[in-house]
Amino acid sequence: MTNKRSILTKIEARKISAIIRTDDQKLAADAMSAAVAGGFRIVEFTLTTPGALHLISEFRKKNDDLLVGAGTVMSIDQANNAVNAGAQFIVSPVCDPEIIRHAAELDVVSMPGTYTATEMDTAHELGADMVKLFPAPADVSGYISAILGPMPYLKIFPTNGVNINNMLSVLTSGAVCIGFVKTLFDPVDLEKNDFTTIKKRASAICDRLIQSGSV
């Protein structure tokens, strides 16, 4: 099994990802640590976050069980830097053929940003391992079901519009994994440095997933 295939298998098994985007490196570290303490085992640091590469390295070192990825990857250089820092998957808000191909060469998972059926199929044909659904449609579950009807081979990973109330319906609709951003890292909690609440919210999300029998 290749490194990429192993990562992909773990992502599909774990099903939920914590995604942080802040303008403060320490805040990002503390908030993500709270999410990990609450049970998340897939984490993503967007490269727009100061010190994101350092955070990727640190979280890879501190917990062998974590899958750590880089978000908002917009160039080959950023992809290289992220993987050198320890990123195991590369996420972009757009579909860039060069980044998809380069991720394959680096033997890491690629998740380009897509929205329409055409964009998703194009990304798949280019070799994307998963397709990030971004931004969120009004009805995430219904949208994914409609896309997968004629294209069941797609591995759709919504990273917007998912919360604790709709997460199970989104997974039932066929999403291979789901990402939590502001619905996990509430801006109010971040502003207050309220990491206890973030940990509790992470635990509630993980508990709901386990109780559903989805993992």
Side-chain angles (χ1 to χ4, degrees), residues 56-76:
I56 289 168
S57 294
E58 287 301 301
F59 275 72
R60 277 297 306 277
K61 290 175 184 175
K62 72 166 60 174
N63 193 327
D64 291 338
D65 188 44
L66 284 183
L67 289 177
V68 184
T72 320
V73 177
M74 299 293 289
S75 69
I76 296 298

Side-chain angles (χ1 to χ4, degrees), residues 7-215:
I7 296 166
L8 191 60
T9 298
K10 290 177 181 178
I11 292 173
E12 293 177 349
R14 297 180 186 186
K15 297 188 184 305
I16 55 173
S17 174
I19 304 167
I20 188 77
R21 182 191 302 277
T22 76
D23 57 4
D24 183 307
Q25 180 176 334
K26 186 176 187 306
L27 179 61
D30 290 342
M32 191 62 85
S33 293
V36 172
F40 274 79
R41 288 297 175 269
I42 305 175
V43 301
E44 176 189 328
F45 295 96
T46 62
L47 295 190
T48 53
T49 298
L53 296 176
H54 177 74
L55 292 169
I56 289 168
S57 294
E58 287 301 301
F59 275 72
R60 277 297 306 277
K61 290 175 184 175
K62 72 166 60 174
N63 193 327
D64 291 338
D65 188 44
L66 284 183
L67 289 177
V68 184
T72 320
V73 177
M74 299 293 289
S75 69
I76 296 298
D77 285 344
Q78 287 184 331
N80 284 331
N81 291 337
V83 173
N84 288 336
Q88 296 158 291
F89 57 92
I90 299 295
V91 187
S92 303
V94 297
C95 181
D96 185 321
E98 290 189 358
I99 293 176
I100 294 171
R101 285 192 290 266
H102 197 62
E105 293 172 3
L106 295 172
D107 199 24
V108 296
V109 170
S110 62
M111 302 181 195
T114 60
Y115 187 78
T116 67
T118 298
E119 290 170 348
M120 290 183 188
D121 193 58
T122 297
H124 175 77
E125 289 298 319
L126 288 168
D129 299 293
M130 294 182 174
V131 290
K132 168 179 172 172
L133 172 56
F134 178 80
D139 177 4
V140 180
S141 300
Y143 193 86
I144 291 174
S145 293
I147 294 285
L148 291 177
M151 295 185 289
Y153 49 84
L154 292 174
K155 297 181 184 296
I156 303 176
F157 188 159
T159 62
N160 194 228
V162 179
N163 56 56
I164 193 169
N165 296 316
N166 71 1
M167 58 178 281
L168 297 183
S169 67
V170 173
L171 287 170
T172 301
S173 73
V176 70
C177 188
I178 51 178
F180 293 83
V181 192
K182 291 183 179 180
T183 53
L184 172 58
F185 300 110
D186 188 294
V188 174
D189 296 334
L190 293 178
E191 186 175 351
K192 294 179 179 178
N193 290 327
D194 187 355
F195 306 118
T196 298
T197 295
I198 292 173
K199 179 183 175 181
K200 288 179 179 177
R201 189 178 296 116
S203 295
I205 291 169
C206 292
D207 287 347
R208 180 159 295 191
L209 181 67
I210 292 168
Q211 291 166 8
S212 73
S214 298
V215 292

